[in-house]
Amino acid sequence: MAILFELSGTISMKISQGFTRPWPSVLMFLFYGISFTSLNVALTSIKVGVAYAVWSGAGIILISVVGAVYFEERLTLSSLLWVTVIVAGIVGLNISTKGH
């Protein structure tokens, strides 16, 4: 839930056009509030490093896709490479924490 509401907050931030559009601006604060609350709840059962890595990494991946599809932002080959590195880092972090 934290990841999806963070994604919604970031989309709302883009749509708010620098706080010039009231409803997307209000939704941005609402979505980020729900996102941080959800992340806080998740931290009761997930290690903070893993939770934050997954939350931020998944957010980066999802907002990159949304930016490309809905906002026509260009994803370069190098940006796709670095997103792949982020995914590898998240997977590696999850694998390394499950063994301990």
Side-chain angles (χ1 to χ4, degrees):
M1 261 182 72
I3 294 165
L4 294 177
F5 279 104
E6 189 269 337
L7 177 67
S8 299
T10 305
I11 292 168
S12 297
M13 184 188 306
K14 173 77 172 173
I15 295 170
S16 78
Q17 298 176 352
F19 297 118
T20 61
R21 299 181 66 206
W23 282 113
S25 300
V26 169
L27 288 174
M28 179 195 70
F29 286 107
L30 176 69
F31 290 146
Y32 276 134
I34 295 170
S35 175
F36 282 112
T37 301
S38 299
L39 181 60
N40 192 14
V41 170
L43 290 176
T44 62
S45 60
I46 301 172
K47 291 182 180 182
V48 69
V50 173
Y52 191 76
V54 171
W55 180 69
S56 59
I60 290 168
I61 293 163
L62 291 171
I63 202 61
S64 295
V65 171
V66 169
V69 173
Y70 292 105
F71 299 119
E72 298 178 1
E73 297 174 350
R74 190 169 162 250
L75 279 176
T76 64
L77 185 59
S78 64
S79 63
L80 290 172
L81 169 70
W82 292 114
V83 168
T84 303
V85 170
I86 292 168
V87 171
I90 292 169
V91 170
L93 183 61
N94 281 317
I95 290 170
S96 68
T97 57
K98 288 181 182 171
H100 296 292

